[in-house]
Amino acid sequence: MMLLANCGAFHRIKAPRETYSRVVHGQPLTVGAGLITTSPGRFRQRSETLWQIPLILELSHPEWDSSFFSQSTRYVNLVKMNKPKMATEKGVPSNSRVLMLLGQLEKMNGDSMGRDAETARQVTAKILHLIQTQERSGKEVMSKGSSGMEVILASLENFQDLQTTLNILYILSELLTVGRGRRVGVFVSKGGTGILFQLLITASKELPPSEELMLQLHSLLAKVGPKDRKFGVKSRLSGALNITVNIMKQNLQNAKLLLPCLQVLRVYSTNSVNAISLGKNGVVELMLKIVAPYSKKNTSLHKVALDALGALLKSKANARRAVDGGHVPVLLLLYLDWHRNDTRHRHMLIRKGLLVCLRNITNIKLGRKAFVEGDGMRILYNTSTECLPVRTLDPLVNTSSLIMRKCFPKNRLPLPTIKSVFHHPLPHIPPAGPVAQLYNQPPGGRTSHQLNSKPLKQVDDVVDESDDNDETEGDTENDTENEEDEKYQRSLNDDIETDLNKLHPKKSPSRPLEELRVYERFFLELSEDFQEYNFECSKSASTPLSSSLSLSASSTRCTRPIVVPTAQALPPKHCPISSSQEDCKPTKRQQTQQSQSAPTSTPPAPLTPLELDTIHLTKDQDKKGKAPIPSWDRHTALSSLTRPASLGQKVEQELVHVLECVSLEEEGMLNSEAEIRGVSQEGSPVHATRHIQSPLLLGGISTRRVGGGGSNWGSDCGSEGAEDEGGEGAVLEVPDTARLLALHDPDLYVEMVKGTQSVPQYAEVAYPDYFGHVAPTFREPLLERIYGVQRSKIFQDIERLIHPNDIIDKVVYDLDISSCPVIEDDGESLKFNSQFESGNLRKAIQVRKYEYDLVLNSDINSNHYHQWFYFEVSGMRVGSTYRFNIINCEKSNSQFNYGMQVLMYSVQEAISGRPCWVRTGMDICYYKNHFARSSIAAGGQKGKSYYTLTFSISFNHKDDVCYFAYHYPYTYSTLKMHLSKLEDSRTPQIYLRQDVLCETLGGNSCPLLTITAMPESNSNDHICQFRNRPLIFLSARVHPGETNASWVMKGTLEFLMGTSPLAASLREAYIFKIVPMLNPDGVVNGNHRCSLSGEDLNRQWQNPNPELHPTIFHTKSLLQYLAHIQRAPLVFCDYHGHSRKKNVFMYGCSMKETIWQSNTSATSSDLQEDLGYRALPKILSQIAPVFSMASCSFVVERSKESTARVVVWREIGVQRSYTMESTLCGCDQGKYKGLQISTRELEEMGAQFCVALLRLKRLTGLRNHQHLLDLESDLIGTQSKVVSSCPTTYVMEEDEPSFLEAIDYSAESNDEDAEPENEQGSEVHEIPDHLDQVSDSESNHRV
């Protein structure tokens, strides 16, 4: 330590008596009374002038002579110094020898005349010895407060002696080797990097330069460089780059010196400017000389050289230089040599380094071309295949896979044009946007429903001339779902609305009341007096409840044949139809659309499709007079699908008493058929039968075959339906779920299909829509991802390029061939079909015997939005595993990567008593493929690719017909059927009115429902209470592909129309205005997101066009009318589905939370906001196990300003304006954690939304229903215990665990309508106290 003194006052510091001593004239002197005096300034800045008294600490080293002691003793005198001496940190012993030596070194630095080279060598050697032998010495030098590093660096600058310099470099090397992080940081902060560079420059001028000095300098620079952010700039400005390169060129055979030079070069190259400069200086070629040819000598040298080369090749200029120099084949052969010779995998880092070099080269187009020409695909494919069994070699396999996928030639989709195969003329063309872009293409398309098949360059410009595509792929290949969501959330931070004017409600209405009075007719309940209604009649179909909605077949605009599902059947011997159809053999091209199945050796004449109006079904009618119908093959036993036998038996037993069958029987064939099936008629799971006029023409509609697939109706594609070996007799069983499902009736569904207008003029009914869906009683857990599944699928894709002769490449289904979509087949291929309502499959290509590429159709009047699919498959073989690849998906990630499975409906299972959609599929993954997207379809971005959804499945039944869907289908005809059944089930206490809000572009009606409770009487008080009920406005299905929204809406409607006390109380509390399907045209035509205008209707709410967006225009008008008459809804909620997140959650609108999130400055008045908008989501989080409060967000984004939620909040003034998002996948919390969601949970969510509205009524104080809490158990049942035992269901857990393999998806795009996730962890604490109290009390009441 030092004793600092000043002539002024003294400051006392206590210290132990025995700690300090000094030597004066050779006599030790102990500081008395344990006190040391210092100046009041204590440890002042170095710039101040201090009187210093150095304490000579135990100078008793045997090597020190008496002259040194006498000199040190005399130095005790007070001397005025301008430069501080060695300072030590408090706690470091005062007798430290290394600090004393540093003090001596410091003195020599300050006295240029007294610098003695020999003394300097001795002192530095002693310091080095102490640091090497005593760990404590290094800590003392590098401790906080010590100026040891400054002294060492100053000595390095001042001393010119080579040995002294080497000693100091050795000292620094020892110091920086231990605890490198902090110590190197100190070294850099003291300017050490610059001193080393300067020393390097000086040393290089000596001829020849000292090898040892260069070795030590580069070794130190290699340690320091990674910690110095400006290392690259300093090296370039100082001129050290060229010196290092020259040393390397002169010492290629000197591995000892070459290694540290390469290590420094590796750091140099991380700077892009340096990399380019080094490339110009021939360093790329120099590195290749070092790494090639193959040799196991100096492997560490090769590893560092490859690292440096990889860093250099990140520069596109260097990558092009490597390609031009013909180095890509050299690297490939070198990698192959290392792969063959490194049998024990001891040099995996060298092999990885070679792959990194190839990866960086292939970031440019020339590099990819050179890679393919050098047979790189085959080399990496073969080597990777050999590495697969060794788990530790996964880094090599993953990098190889990444390179091969980049170099896989970019292909166009196998389509004539990416535009939709169907076209619908618009009343007028929008002035701008993607639709206008499509219509502005050169003419040549037909005026019919089919677009011209000639590709348009302006639309399909998929050729990528850029060099930077896929560069971000490597950065995202290891992302997990949670990380991807975080990236997505960060990207949305810039999207948060910061304009306070847009966050304030509009002051004036946008439309005058006179213009809106036309909508008064939709609110008859607000003026109805019920004077003519007979309240005494218990069963009344009174006038005020009459429906003005015509959704049945009576509104059919045209009569056309509709193919209704049956089973396999040959043409009948006679058809009970009109004489004009006696022949039953239509002419070719009799119909606009046809289907086909496999040809047979003796093809029978095709059936004539009969008219819709001839449909007639009867139950249990006499069997006599039925025409004989040949049997269809049922030799295989029907088994349960994707579940244990016990569960299947339970389901079968439940359905045995409620399902009935449609049967066609021929005399004398029942017994033989039963023998074939191996069961007696008494043992059949279905007892009731329904008889249909032969030949199973549901109303004269030609049959659909269970075996063989496709449709068996008039077609110029050829006849179908081979005669079965059983002769003419058959038993056909088709389930009728009308008795099981309250809202389903197959007969009624067919009637509703007649009135549905579609652009392709669908003339076929899909089995699942006709039979109906009964939610399975067994659980369907999230699929556990198998390690390596994505990689194996990608390798199978790469095999197509490696072994092209193994690829069949046969088109088996193509909607672009309008006359015959189903291609003639030899019986070795599956048959596909999607020509039914909501169907979407454009093309099917058989790639291998059991593998098919599937292409989805774009939304009509669009060239993108491919995600929704719904198609039929038949002609499968039992026991074979088929792989299906949907190759033109667009979203950058999908829940198919995180446990979600596709849905399948088996007709054989339905016939066996299990008519349900089930989750199925193995080896499911979702990844980027080699099909390039059009820049127009990708929003102007070039170099984007499509994504592949792949899944495998083994079919359990022979001659089955199976349907696959993205999510549980819910068609427009299903909605009409449900609404009709709901109206039939209405009780006199329910006020139900159905109106036609408007007609869509496609000619379909958009229904508007009004539901509330009838007044108790027509007295003034009761009528007044009836009219003054607050309104709830609900809507759904604006996006056709979000079918889960319709299932939630179905649950809401069923609850509202129910007879429970809860439902009655809810009807008494509110008037419900409901638009259950905002986009009927999109639903009917199998669109994913758009209407027939080719636009996303949920982006048109600000300025909807009455001709292009009629449903949005009129729905908004309804709300504007309510706002004008001061009856704005209490709650507005738009039901949606979400493809990227789990659970159910809400998005709302809050000015305060938006301002907080965006850090926008605002006045106190802007932050005054009622927290009532959080009440409904909070309630739902308490009662609905699928609801996640943590996933809710109340932030307003710029990109969402034209959505229903934001527009209704801002323009209509509805504080509780929500979008309710339901997962397409499943749940990661609460009661259903780890399970995929089914229609049961979705409908349950719709009902629980109604219960939440009851609670909201209590909180808003509109009316006091004390009995509601007692009645909630009727709906919630046992689940209340689960919720109350886990009251924090709204606390979000980590979305997904990290997978062990790389999942390839990028963050460049997002769910188009996905709202941002609120990241405020304290959001649940912002609920008003009274809300929490009510919720808690109610929760306790349920237990």
Side-chain angles (χ1 to χ4, degrees), residues 127-145:
I127 295 173
L128 176 61
H129 175 74
L130 288 173
I131 291 175
Q132 288 176 336
T133 58
Q134 298 180 12
E135 182 181 352
R136 183 188 65 178
S137 298
K139 292 181 179 179
E140 291 171 354
V141 175
M142 298 302 301
S143 61
K144 291 183 180 180

Side-chain angles (χ1 to χ4, degrees), residues 1125-1191:
I1125 64 174
Q1126 306 299 315
R1127 293 296 301 273
L1130 177 68
V1131 172
F1132 171 85
C1133 190
D1134 190 19
Y1135 292 3
H1136 280 256
H1138 205 290
S1139 67
R1140 294 173 59 248
K1141 299 171 73 173
K1142 291 182 171 65
N1143 311 312
V1144 179
F1145 50 93
M1146 276 182 164
Y1147 294 125
C1149 301
S1150 166
M1151 179 189 304
K1152 180 186 294 184
E1153 295 194 31
T1154 304
I1155 292 172
W1156 284 348
Q1157 194 79 5
S1158 62
N1159 295 321
T1160 304
S1161 58
T1163 62
S1164 58
S1165 60
D1166 293 327
L1167 298 177
Q1168 296 297 322
E1169 185 177 40
D1170 184 2
L1171 291 178
Y1173 64 88
R1174 280 182 169 268
L1176 188 59
K1178 173 70 175 180
I1179 295 171
L1180 284 171
S1181 71
Q1182 299 290 337
I1183 67 173
V1186 299
F1187 193 87
S1188 170
M1189 186 70 184
S1191 296

Side-chain angles (χ1 to χ4, degrees), residues 1 88-96 99 139-140 143:
M1 288 190 60
T88 59
E89 183 187 12
K90 182 178 180 181
V92 176
S94 60
N95 60 350
S96 172
L99 293 183
K139 292 181 179 179
E140 291 171 354
S143 61

Side-chain angles (χ1 to χ4, degrees), residues 220-282:
L220 271 177
L221 287 171
K223 293 179 181 179
V224 172
K227 295 293 183 179
D228 191 345
R229 295 182 179 180
K230 297 182 179 180
F231 188 81
V233 178
K234 292 176 183 177
S235 65
R236 185 172 64 255
L237 295 179
S238 65
L241 282 178
N242 293 332
I243 294 173
T244 301
V245 173
N246 291 333
I247 293 173
M248 291 172 54
K249 290 179 179 179
Q250 297 167 7
N251 295 272
L252 287 177
Q253 305 304 320
N254 187 349
K256 183 178 180 182
L257 178 56
L258 192 59
L259 180 60
C261 291
L262 287 171
Q263 291 171 337
V264 176
L265 185 70
R266 178 175 55 186
V267 186
Y268 288 163
S269 303
T270 57
N271 181 282
S272 59
V273 178
N274 287 354
I276 295 174
S277 176
L278 291 169
K280 292 178 179 179
N281 204 7

Side-chain angles (χ1 to χ4, degrees), residues 293-368:
Y294 165 78
S295 173
K296 284 194 175 181
K297 294 182 179 180
N298 298 320
T299 54
S300 58
L301 197 68
H302 288 182
K303 168 64 177 65
V304 178
L306 286 170
D307 289 345
L309 181 59
L312 287 170
L313 292 175
K314 286 184 178 181
S315 164
K316 294 179 183 178
N318 290 338
R320 283 190 287 270
R321 189 172 286 108
V323 174
D324 294 339
H327 301 310
V328 174
V330 174
L331 291 171
L332 285 169
L333 293 177
L334 189 60
Y335 178 74
L336 189 58
D337 287 338
W338 277 102
H339 172 79
R340 290 171 176 171
N341 292 281
D342 185 25
T343 55
R344 296 190 178 183
H345 313 303
R346 294 179 177 178
H347 304 292
M348 190 184 73
L349 294 179
I350 293 178
R351 295 157 67 182
K352 178 66 180 296
L354 286 166
L355 290 176
V356 169
C357 293
L358 290 170
R359 184 191 67 187
N360 293 339
I361 290 176
T362 52
N363 279 335
I364 65 172
K365 186 177 182 180
L366 287 175
R368 294 191 286 272

Side-chain angles (χ1 to χ4, degrees), residues 160 420 466 616 760:
Q160 305 299 322
S420 173
S466 65
H616 177 64

